[in-house]
Amino acid sequence: MTNTAEAGSVASPAEQLGAAYEAYGAADRALHERLLSSVQRPEDVAVHAVAEGDDCWTVTVCTSDWVGALATIAGLFPAYGMDIESADAFTLRVPASRPSVARRSGGFGPGGRRPWRPAAARPAPVSRRLLDVFRVRALSATSDDVWERFREELQGFVALLSAGRRDAARERLIDRVSDALSTLGSHGERVYPVAVEVSNDASPDYTQVSIRSADTVGFLYTFANALAVLNVNVERAEIRTVEGETRDVFMVTGRDGGKITGEEQLREVRVAAALIKQFTHLLPSSPNPAMALRQFNALTLQMLSRPDWSSGLRDLESATVMGTLAQLMGVSEFLWEDFLRMQYEELFPVVVDLPSLDEHRPVHLLEEELDGLLEQLDDHQERVDVLNRFKDREMFRIDLRHITGRIGFREFAMELTALGEVTVRKAAALAYRLRSEQYGEPLLSDGRVCSWCVCALGKFGGREMGFGSDVELIFVYEGEGSTSGSDSLPNARFFAEFVRAFLGALKTKREGIFEVDMRLRPHGNAGALACSLDGFRDYYSEGGPARQFERMALVRLRPVAGDAALSERVTEARDAFVYTGTPLDIENVRHLRGRQADELVQRGALNAKYSRGGLTDVEYFVQAWQVAKGREDESLRVTNTLDAIARLADGGYVTRGQAGEMEATYGFLRRLIDALRVVRGHAKDLTVPAVDSREFAYLVRRLRFESAEELRDAIAENMAAAERLWQGAVPGGGG
């Protein structure tokens, strides 16, 4: 940070820098003097660039020594497509500008005025300047005015630093650096070893940090930025690249301006150097380098706050682990916050456990693991806590399997659904055990135990869960009666209490993320939390109050917990209501879709689910065909949308070409919604961002498109295809 101090005299740069400055000749020293003298105001910047053969320059930069200034300069080079091959960074003390009038000092004179004192009687003020000399190589073609643009932009950043707006400068620079890094591509799978040495014996004034490893674009920027966050100031730096290996030496000072002597802060510097060197090696492969850069310092500081930091550092020596972290930090802010701020102890082992990330775990393995954890406990709340930690850890593992490309979208949906089934079954078992211990078991009028089941609907019922999917459920019990305990309850009351206990057993940290949704139960939010089998049959019957969209929704009903015999009876009741052969009122379906597009979408916005041509158009179209033909063709009674499309084609209800287009459109819209949810962290906002926005640029990378225009066109084409479904032959026949 710029420091104005009092000193009797200021030594020349050569005298201040000693041997470190001997390599510079008379012409260089004269240039440095001119640049130093030209920096008068806090925001001034001087840049001098000399071409050194093809695509290489020697660039000298001088400005005030603000905290973050070196990181800013180092970050602008990759932002302009330049790789730093070598650098010398110096901090100098120079005379500050004198005030235009003599200083006053001493006590007050007659009339309340201070007596005059000649200015020469006081030492001249002194400021600190950065004098940095870089040799850089262009990674792509440059324009003739590149260095003037570089100077103007750097001056804007320095003006922010001088105004105390370091965070604003850092945020703006991260966007600039990440844009450049995202075009470079990955350095490859291998992460090279990092040698870090920290010494307090090499210099009388500074702590020396020496780093040797493979050259990585953006390392100097990221390292200097991290040191600034750690309140470590770089006084001098020598950056050299020899045969692809960097040999960097930093002379640094701590918070008090002196050597770093505290073991904790020395440890922080060592860890930061090793982590950043490996992280920047893999950063270009991150889907969103800007987000990853923003979150990387938080990882470093989080690790350093833990007593076992050294073991964690050893875990991060794997290229695959670091690549997973780069993907995680560059995919989703909400996943990263859950990992870092909420559940570091639980989730960090998931990141470093590579065999676990490569493993597909079917339902029976998940149940065995969870049963093993729960059977050791007697307290209900302890069981609930263990259940939720298991659920969150396993969901995070499955999310990582998907965002790192280990599994495709359909496998991802199946694995999340399997976790949902296990979680719902165990939560229901815990809730039933709790209420039975309180009130006794629910009995029917003939003395038999009243059975119950839990049915999935929506994406959960269809085995189509994704990022941000909720868990749609209906609870059904066999019939009326009362519980066997001394504090007896009617069965209706018991199962209402059972559902409340179930809801209390499943914890969700964010809206829509594995959140239980029971709005599709009979009578919706106005209905009982659980309904009897007779109540289910009465509501979902041809003369009952269920509406047409509920008939379509029940296509995806699938029992997931409870008594198998009762589950079969519920499924039979569903079939008797849904698959009657009575055609749907297609005009009513079209009217419903129009209302959704008008009422659930902001004016002028494009919603990937509810706008015309959104995902709901495909789902309703497929469900309408299933309802229309499911009575005569039981093979159509499946809950998964893609399975249903394939069976519609097998039965000749749609052509193979139509089925292929529906599958492609459905898959694209699901992936688009998946990407929107993972970056935003909740399930509700499915508005497609503006094409020229940073969020849209993220979607381009996440969905692996070449350009924003290509993704824009793909969205338009797929939504047009979904909307066309309702313009041809309607489900069940007719036009």
Side-chain angles (χ1 to χ4, degrees):
M1 185 172 185
T2 299
N3 231 346
T4 301
E6 303 290 344
S9 62
V10 178
S12 68
E15 292 172 322
Q16 291 185 54
L17 301 177
Y21 199 59
E22 290 177 357
Y24 293 93
D28 290 327
R29 297 184 182 199
L31 169 65
H32 299 165
E33 291 279 5
R34 290 197 303 274
L35 295 178
L36 287 166
S37 65
S38 69
V39 176
Q40 297 293 320
R41 299 174 303 169
E43 69 273 18
D44 283 347
V45 172
V47 176
H48 184 270
V50 177
E52 303 283 359
D54 294 341
D55 301 327
C56 291
W57 285 268
T58 296
V59 184
T60 307
V61 181
C62 183
T63 188
S64 296
D65 179 28
W66 300 106
V67 173
L70 176 60
T72 302
I73 298 167
L76 270 187
F77 282 114
Y80 277 81
M82 303 286 176
D83 184 25
I84 299 172
E85 295 190 333
S86 66
D88 290 317
F90 305 111
T91 303
L92 293 162
R93 299 165 70 244
V94 300
S97 301
R98 290 182 178 276
S100 58
V101 297
R103 293 179 181 269
R104 296 171 175 171
S105 65
F108 289 96
R113 298 191 179 192
R114 293 182 183 271
W116 290 104
R117 180 179 180 185
R122 294 199 54 172
V126 173
S127 292
R128 289 160 57 92
R129 298 283 186 271
L130 289 185
L131 177 64
D132 300 340
V133 182
F134 300 88
R135 179 177 173 82
V136 300
R137 177 176 55 87
L139 300 173
S140 58
T142 59
S143 60
D144 293 337
D145 65 342
V146 61
W147 296 115
E148 179 56 27
R149 291 188 291 111
F150 181 95
R151 187 200 66 78
E152 290 178 354
E153 186 168 6
L154 178 58
Q155 186 156 330
F157 279 109
V158 171
L160 289 174
L161 296 176
S162 68
R165 301 177 61 196
R166 187 172 59 155
D167 289 345
R170 184 175 64 246
E171 287 296 300
R172 184 184 300 179
L173 185 59
I174 282 174
D175 289 333
R176 293 285 285 114
V177 174
S178 67
D179 286 343
L181 291 177
S182 64
T183 66
L184 296 178
S186 174
H187 293 276
E189 289 294 323
R190 185 179 178 189
V191 170
Y192 294 89
V194 181
V196 182
E197 295 181 4
V198 180
S199 172
N200 274 318
D201 300 327
S203 167
D205 302 311
Y206 311 122
T207 297
Q208 178 176 293
V209 182
S210 303
I211 303 172
R212 293 185 63 167
S213 186
D215 183 26
T216 53
V217 176
F219 169 72
L220 180 58
Y221 157 70
T222 314
F223 186 53
N225 190 50
L227 290 182
V229 172
L230 295 171
N231 291 311
V232 173
N233 193 49
V234 179
E235 300 286 343
R236 299 180 188 176
E238 180 182 292
I239 311 298
R240 298 290 183 266
T241 303
V242 180
E243 296 180 351
E245 181 185 68
T246 55
R247 301 174 184 178
D248 305 337
V249 178
F250 298 88
M251 296 294 186
V252 302
T253 56
R255 298 175 178 90
D256 59 358
K259 285 186 178 184
I260 302 172
T261 56
E263 188 57 37
E264 182 175 349
Q265 199 171 23
L266 287 171
R267 179 188 70 177
E268 290 175 350
V269 173
R270 290 190 191 98
V271 174
L275 284 180
I276 292 168
K277 173 58 74 172
Q278 296 195 8
F279 180 72
T280 54
H281 183 80
L282 293 160
L283 187 61
S285 66
S286 173
N288 190 338
M291 187 185 298
L293 276 169
R294 285 184 172 93
Q295 295 173 159
F296 184 74
N297 281 337
L299 168 66
T300 305
L301 295 175
Q302 179 78 308
M303 287 193 65
L304 293 170
S305 69
R306 301 180 181 280
D308 60 345
W309 65 273
S310 58
S311 62
L313 181 59
R314 287 193 297 271
D315 290 330
L316 295 179
E317 291 176 352
S318 160
T320 307
V321 170
M322 288 302 293
T324 298
L325 277 173
Q327 289 283 321
L328 169 62
M329 287 186 278
V331 166
S332 171
E333 186 171 359
F334 87 89
L335 276 180
W336 179 247
E337 288 178 352
D338 278 353
F339 163 63
L340 186 65
R341 300 177 187 175
M342 299 178 182
Q343 304 184 74
Y344 180 93
E345 294 90 345
E346 289 287 332
L347 300 184
F348 184 74
V350 175
V351 176
V352 300
D353 186 357
L354 298 180
S356 171
L357 287 177
D358 292 332
E359 178 187 4
H360 165 67
R361 294 179 180 171
V363 167
H364 73 275
L365 289 182
L366 294 173
E367 287 187 322
E368 287 175 8
E369 181 179 351
L370 184 54
D371 284 341
L373 296 171
L374 294 175
E375 67 185 10
Q376 306 172 31
L377 305 171
D378 295 322
D379 181 73
H380 175 75
Q381 191 55 52
E382 288 181 351
R383 296 189 196 104
V384 166
D385 292 342
V386 167
L387 169 65
N388 282 282
R389 286 200 298 272
F390 174 86
K391 178 253 298 178
D392 292 342
R393 185 174 64 250
E394 190 63 23
M395 182 165 56
F396 182 74
R397 187 189 72 87
I398 296 169
D399 289 345
L400 278 186
R401 278 171 55 76
H402 181 44
I403 66 177
T404 57
R406 288 172 167 89
I407 53 175
F409 186 79
R410 194 161 192 189
E411 295 88 349
F412 173 58
M414 292 293 185
E415 290 191 13
L416 274 183
T417 302
L419 174 62
E421 292 175 11
V422 171
T423 302
V424 167
R425 276 200 284 273
K426 296 307 175 187
L430 291 179
Y432 185 82
R433 177 176 176 177
L434 177 69
R435 294 310 187 212
S436 295
E437 290 173 350
Q438 290 176 309
Y439 305 113
E441 284 202 286
L443 303 176
L444 298 172
S445 57
D446 61 6
R448 291 184 299 111
V449 174
C450 178
S451 61
W452 55 271
C453 69
V454 185
C455 297
L457 293 163
K459 298 286 190 299
F460 186 27
R463 295 188 173 92
E464 299 165 339
M465 294 182 72
F467 283 116
S469 289
D470 51 18
V471 179
E472 296 180 85
L473 300 174
I474 292 179
F475 290 77
V476 181
Y477 60 94
E478 188 175 1
E480 302 306 327
S482 59
T483 63
S484 61
S486 57
D487 189 10
S488 181
L489 291 179
N491 285 354
R493 281 276 309 281
F494 174 87
F495 282 104
E497 292 299 317
F498 161 64
V499 175
R500 291 189 181 95
F502 173 90
L503 296 174
L506 279 186
K507 310 296 183 183
T508 57
K509 291 182 171 60
R510 292 176 180 271
E511 184 181 18
I513 307 300
F514 237 67
E515 185 177 34
V516 176
D517 182 354
M518 297 180 58
R519 290 174 296 177
L520 284 176
R521 68 185 188 270
H523 303 288
N525 288 336
L529 291 176
C531 66
S532 67
L533 178 61
D534 285 343
F536 183 91
R537 288 170 171 158
D538 290 343
Y539 185 83
Y540 298 114
S541 62
E542 191 164 349
R547 290 166 290 179
Q548 182 165 249
F549 80 88
E550 292 176 283
R551 185 180 176 197
M552 290 194 297
L554 255 63
V555 165
R556 293 198 283 191
L557 180 142
R558 182 172 61 88
V560 293
D563 183 74
L566 179 63
S567 296
E568 186 174 346
R569 294 165 72 185
V570 170
T571 302
E572 290 171 353
R574 183 277 310 271
D575 291 349
F577 171 61
V578 173
Y579 301 116
T580 63
T582 302
L584 289 169
D585 183 346
I586 297 300
E587 286 308 312
N588 181 265
V589 176
R590 286 172 170 154
H591 175 71
L592 173 62
R593 283 294 296 122
R595 285 189 56 191
Q596 289 175 335
D598 292 336
E599 298 174 10
L600 301 180
V601 181
Q602 294 179 355
R603 185 179 299 275
L606 183 66
N607 187 290
K609 183 175 182 179
Y610 291 119
S611 286
R612 289 171 174 82
L615 180 71
T616 303
D617 273 325
V618 183
E619 293 177 329
Y620 279 12
F621 187 79
V622 173
Q623 290 163 13
W625 269 109
Q626 291 177 271
V627 170
K629 298 299 182 181
R631 178 176 181 174
E632 60 195 62
D633 187 349
E634 293 188 8
S635 72
L636 296 178
R637 300 180 188 182
V638 292
T639 62
N640 181 272
T641 303
L642 290 175
D643 287 346
I645 293 173
R647 297 190 184 194
L648 287 171
D650 291 342
Y653 305 108
V654 299
T655 67
R656 294 290 178 184
Q658 290 172 324
E661 186 175 49
M662 276 193 285
E663 289 172 351
T665 298
Y666 177 81
F668 174 84
L669 292 173
R670 283 296 312 274
R671 289 190 296 273
L672 175 62
I673 288 172
D674 175 73
L676 287 168
R677 283 175 168 167
V678 72
V679 69
R680 289 172 175 162
H682 59 81
K684 308 303 181 186
D685 184 4
L686 299 180
T687 301
V688 178
V691 175
D692 59 354
S693 67
R694 285 203 163 273
E695 197 174 24
F696 196 86
Y698 160 77
L699 291 176
V700 171
R701 289 193 292 271
R702 178 65 187 149
L703 294 170
R704 302 185 185 281
F705 281 82
E706 293 296 324
S707 67
E709 292 72 23
E710 186 180 0
L711 176 57
R712 176 201 63 198
D713 293 345
I715 292 172
E717 290 167 7
N718 279 280
M719 294 189 76
E723 192 171 7
R724 282 197 304 271
L725 290 174
W726 295 95
Q727 296 171 359
V730 298

